[in-house]
Amino acid sequence: MKNKQTKSISFKEVFGRLFYFMKPYCKGLVLSVVFIVFASLFNSLGPFILGKATDSMVGLVIGGVPVPEAIRQFVTILIILASTYILYAAFKYLSTYILVRVSQKTIYDLRNQVDKKFKKLPLNYFDTNTYGDILSRITNDVDTISNSLQQSLDQIVTAITSVICIFAMMLFISPILTLIGVITVPLALVISIKIAGASQKYFKAQQETLGEINGYVEEVYTGHNIVSAYGTEEETIQEFEDTNEELYSSGWKSQFMSSTLMPITQGMTNIGYVAVVVVSGALVIGGRMTIGMIQSFIQYLRQFSQPINQTVQIANVLQSTAAAATRVFEFLDEHEEVPEPENPIKPQKIDGSVEFQNVKFGYVPYNTLMHNVSLKVNPGSKVAIVGPTGAGKTTLINLLLRFYDINGGKILVSGTDIRKMKRTDLREIFGMVLQDTWLFTGSIMENIRYGRLEASDAEVVAAAKAARADFFINTLPDGYSFMLQEGATNLAHGERQLLTIARAILSDSPIMILDEATSSVDTRTEVLIQEAMATLMKGRTSFVIAHRLSTIKDADMIIYMENGDIKETGTHDSLIEENGLYAKLYNSQFTNDNG
């Protein structure tokens, strides 16, 4: 599944938003920058002091300076040099310590925003995007930002301050040599900027294709048995190879273009370096410079190119960071669920009644699925929802839980409009047993207790007994402490279903939503599941999405849906007597079962 197109975010806007996340920590950021400036200043004094040390030795050898005085001068200079580098190390340590904390707090806030956004997204977002791509955005892309943010900030500030300090020292030593040495720098920077801009689209394509690869792995690898069963290995492999080819194409282009920056800038710097060596030799011969200052200047010239090359390297990192941040911000910019009401209402008494009043709904504005659905369910009723595939059975449940919001009309639970309730309060009213069982890695006790976290061990065991699950649990090694693997693959499907029923019983919710899931289990387990479901529904309002119509003959109300609307309602006997759509579906199933 390809991701839908999203609004493009500019490079400038991306980093503007990243720095917005750093705003609460601006004091620490400023302090860190100040310390980096001091560190760069002390570091830039090193070559100049070394040059003075060289001149003191030259004075001793060929200048006729008395030995004691020359040695004393040399030692003094070395002490000053050592002090300078100690101060540099101290300021560098402090700046790094503060900057790491600032960057990690920023990423902490960003992760929190992503997590909060995840909880606010409508179900439609997850229906229209692959899980692999969503996971890639909230894990890989956030990690990319995290890994590069502190490194990039440190290097950028260090590079800028180092260039300024070194340039000032070069001018102080020799303006002529400075002009010769840096004349190639502007041209190198222009070329670097051009290449970096051209490579940005390839970095973005690389991150997007990586998300598609993750989506592919999540969908296809977890369903490999289906792929094998239908013999579509070649098509699947070909699809992977096509996506992998796209990733390879964008990957090598982005990396190749960014890797050319370093040799270009180094080559142009070396040209200026050769010219400086020739001119400085002439200046020494003419007595206009000392050997020590030439040594200092050459060191500065070499150091001058390092921040520039470092900046080029940072540009590569920033391209990747920008691509990752763009995808994260696209995620944060997605439309959210309708906001919670300012003054939410919580029913004082939950009696289990449900009413749909002239409900209209469509997944997209231009295509209405439900036109005028009205329905009244009395407390404690068993309501079966039937109909062909795509009839709207699951949609009706999604609207009841406010996974989607209706376009018109009202849905009342215990007499309260669900749009006036907080979603958490609404969903606490419902317990669910779905066809696709969801159990997490952990003990059986922990999985059942998920229905009500404060429940005691005795209550968990009682719920398991009511769900007819206690017997098979006690046959397992460690019983209720038995650890489930991912997806509970170390249990049979029917056993997993019994655990989800036990979890729903433990929740003690007044309204239950049940998706019959007995088609893939043996007869004995099917009987256990039906008994457990009967226990679960006793005394509660229940909505059953029915697949086998023979199991819902005793329902208080049967709703027949087709094309999103309710076509018929009634009991089994009354609907059979009407000989309408439900009767036709029931008779066709009965005939097939006995065929």
Side-chain angles (χ1 to χ4, degrees):
M1 186 196 317
K2 297 286 183 184
N3 298 322
K4 59 187 178 182
Q5 295 296 317
T6 51
K7 181 176 75 71
S8 177
I9 304 176
S10 68
F11 191 88
K12 181 180 179 181
E13 184 182 355
V14 165
F15 283 98
R17 292 180 66 171
L18 274 179
F19 280 110
Y20 174 79
F21 277 94
M22 301 184 77
K23 191 174 180 180
Y25 316 108
C26 60
K27 290 182 179 179
L29 184 61
V30 171
L31 186 60
S32 176
V33 170
V34 171
F35 286 161
I36 290 175
V37 170
F38 276 109
S40 299
L41 179 62
F42 284 113
N43 189 45
S44 64
L45 290 174
F48 182 78
I49 298 172
L50 278 173
K52 289 295 184 181
T54 300
D55 284 340
S56 70
M57 286 292 96
V58 171
L60 174 64
V61 175
I62 63 175
V65 178
V67 174
E69 183 181 341
I71 292 176
R72 185 169 56 253
Q73 184 180 8
F74 182 72
V75 170
T76 301
I77 292 173
L78 290 183
I79 292 173
I80 295 172
L81 179 64
S83 301
T84 300
Y85 282 133
I86 289 172
L87 287 170
Y88 158 74
F91 281 114
K92 187 66 177 176
Y93 172 82
L94 290 172
S95 66
T96 302
Y97 175 81
I98 296 171
L99 196 55
V100 167
R101 287 181 61 86
V102 168
S103 61
Q104 290 305 311
K105 285 181 179 178
T106 301
I107 294 300
Y108 174 84
D109 291 345
L110 181 60
R111 288 187 193 277
N112 279 342
Q113 285 293 319
V114 168
D115 182 62
K116 290 177 182 177
K117 183 71 177 186
F118 190 83
K119 297 171 183 175
K120 294 179 180 179
L121 288 173
L123 190 63
N124 181 58
Y125 177 80
F126 302 98
D127 290 340
T128 55
N129 290 270
T130 64
Y131 287 150
D133 183 67
I134 295 171
L135 290 174
S136 181
R137 289 174 188 260
I138 63 181
T139 55
N140 293 344
D141 292 329
V142 173
D143 285 342
T144 298
I145 299 170
S146 175
N147 293 335
S148 63
L149 185 60
Q150 180 263 326
Q151 174 191 354
S152 300
L153 285 172
D154 189 5
Q155 291 184 351
I156 288 172
V157 178
T158 300
I160 293 173
T161 54
S162 294
V163 165
I164 294 172
C165 292
I166 292 170
F167 184 71
M169 294 303 297
M170 290 168 65
L171 280 175
F172 178 75
I173 294 172
S174 174
I176 296 174
L177 292 181
T178 302
L179 178 62
I180 296 171
V182 303
I183 196 169
T184 58
V185 171
L187 183 58
L189 284 176
V190 170
I191 295 174
S192 299
I193 291 170
K194 292 287 185 183
I195 295 175
S199 64
Q200 170 62 16
K201 61 180 180 181
Y202 297 115
F203 275 103
K204 190 172 189 300
Q206 182 182 16
Q207 290 296 124
E208 290 176 346
T209 313
L210 182 61
E212 292 179 16
I213 286 281
N214 287 332
Y216 173 91
V217 171
E218 191 275 333
E219 287 183 343
V220 177
Y221 282 26
T222 54
H224 66 278
N225 55 335
I226 303 299
V227 174
S228 300
Y230 283 93
T232 57
E233 290 92 344
E234 291 186 8
E235 292 83 353
T236 301
I237 292 171
Q238 185 60 50
E239 182 181 348
F240 175 80
E241 289 180 349
D242 291 343
T243 308
N244 199 29
E245 181 68 27
E246 291 180 25
L247 182 59
Y248 163 76
S249 176
S250 59
W252 85 260
K253 287 177 182 176
S254 61
Q255 298 302 323
F256 170 74
M257 292 184 72
S258 62
S259 65
T260 59
L261 295 174
M262 182 66 72
I264 288 174
T265 53
Q266 283 183 334
M268 301 192 73
T269 301
N270 288 337
I271 294 174
Y273 180 69
V274 171
V276 165
V277 170
V278 173
V279 175
S280 63
L283 291 175
V284 170
I285 293 172
R288 297 171 60 185
M289 283 189 73
T290 63
I291 295 175
M293 288 300 98
I294 290 178
Q295 173 194 327
S296 298
F297 189 88
I298 291 175
Q299 280 186 283
Y300 280 129
L301 186 59
R302 286 186 173 182
Q303 289 183 5
F304 187 73
S305 64
Q306 287 176 358
I308 296 174
N309 294 334
Q310 193 177 47
T311 304
V312 172
Q313 289 179 324
I314 295 169
N316 299 340
V317 175
L318 292 181
Q319 299 298 317
S320 179
T321 305
T326 297
R327 286 167 47 79
V328 172
F329 289 138
E330 285 173 351
F331 177 82
L332 293 176
D333 290 341
E334 287 290 338
H335 293 295
E336 298 179 358
E337 292 180 315
V338 175
E340 300 281 23
E342 291 184 7
N343 300 302
I345 299 173
K346 187 174 183 179
Q348 294 297 317
K349 181 181 179 183
I350 308 298
D351 59 12
S353 65
V354 174
E355 186 174 359
F356 283 65
Q357 296 180 354
N358 305 314
V359 170
K360 296 180 178 63
F361 173 73
Y363 287 102
V364 289
Y366 51 82
N367 185 13
T368 301
L369 180 65
M370 292 183 176
H371 296 86
N372 191 21
V373 172
S374 293
L375 174 70
K376 188 170 184 178
V377 177
N378 294 321
S381 299
K382 177 181 177 181
V383 180
I385 309 171
V386 303
T389 301
K393 301 186 293 292
T394 302
T395 300
L396 193 72
I397 299 302
N398 286 339
L399 294 179
L400 193 57
L401 291 165
R402 275 198 79 188
F403 289 143
Y404 292 94
D405 276 298
I406 58 178
N407 303 127
K410 290 182 180 181
I411 299 177
L412 307 177
V413 172
S414 297
T416 302
D417 189 336
I418 63 174
R419 287 176 295 186
K420 295 181 180 179
M421 298 175 63
K422 291 178 64 176
R423 289 182 177 86
T424 52
D425 291 339
L426 170 66
R427 292 166 188 168
E428 283 177 357
I429 298 172
F430 294 89
M432 299 182 71
V433 178
L434 303 180
Q435 190 169 8
D436 296 326
T437 58
W438 181 80
L439 297 166
F440 55 85
T441 303
S443 69
I444 287 179
M445 181 73 74
E446 291 170 336
N447 272 273
I448 297 176
R449 186 178 277 120
Y450 196 78
R452 183 158 52 89
L453 297 178
E454 69 277 9
S456 65
D457 289 355
E459 290 175 314
V460 171
V461 173
K465 288 179 178 178
R468 312 298 193 272
D470 181 69
F471 175 77
F472 91 82
I473 292 173
N474 286 319
T475 64
L476 298 170
D478 302 321
Y480 284 86
S481 297
F482 180 76
M483 297 298 294
L484 301 183
Q485 299 173 355
E486 183 179 357
T489 53
N490 50 342
L491 293 181
H493 177 77
E495 292 172 337
R496 296 198 296 267
Q497 194 64 269
L498 291 174
L499 292 184
T500 61
I501 294 173
R503 184 171 62 198
I505 290 174
L506 184 65
S507 72
D508 198 26
S509 302
I511 304 177
M512 288 292 168
I513 295 172
L514 310 170
D515 190 347
E516 281 190 345
T518 58
S519 58
S520 58
V521 299
D522 60 83
T523 304
R524 179 180 174 280
T525 306
E526 180 180 354
V527 171
L528 289 176
I529 292 175
Q530 292 294 350
E531 289 177 356
M533 283 188 168
T535 301
L536 177 61
M537 291 184 286
K538 188 175 180 180
R540 296 182 175 91
T541 304
S542 56
F543 290 84
V544 181
I545 299 178
H547 305 287
R548 294 188 184 183
L549 302 188
S550 58
T551 64
I552 47 96
K553 288 182 180 180
D554 62 337
D556 299 303
M557 179 188 297
I558 296 174
I559 301 171
Y560 181 90
M561 298 190 69
E562 196 171 276
N563 298 323
D565 286 321
I566 296 175
K567 301 296 184 182
E568 296 177 356
T569 59
T571 64
H572 171 77
D573 292 337
S574 66
L575 291 175
I576 290 294
E577 189 175 336
E578 287 180 14
N579 198 30
L581 295 170
Y582 172 79
K584 183 178 179 181
L585 180 65
Y586 178 82
N587 291 329
S588 67
Q589 230 182 61
F590 183 79
T591 302
N592 290 336
D593 289 343
N594 290 277

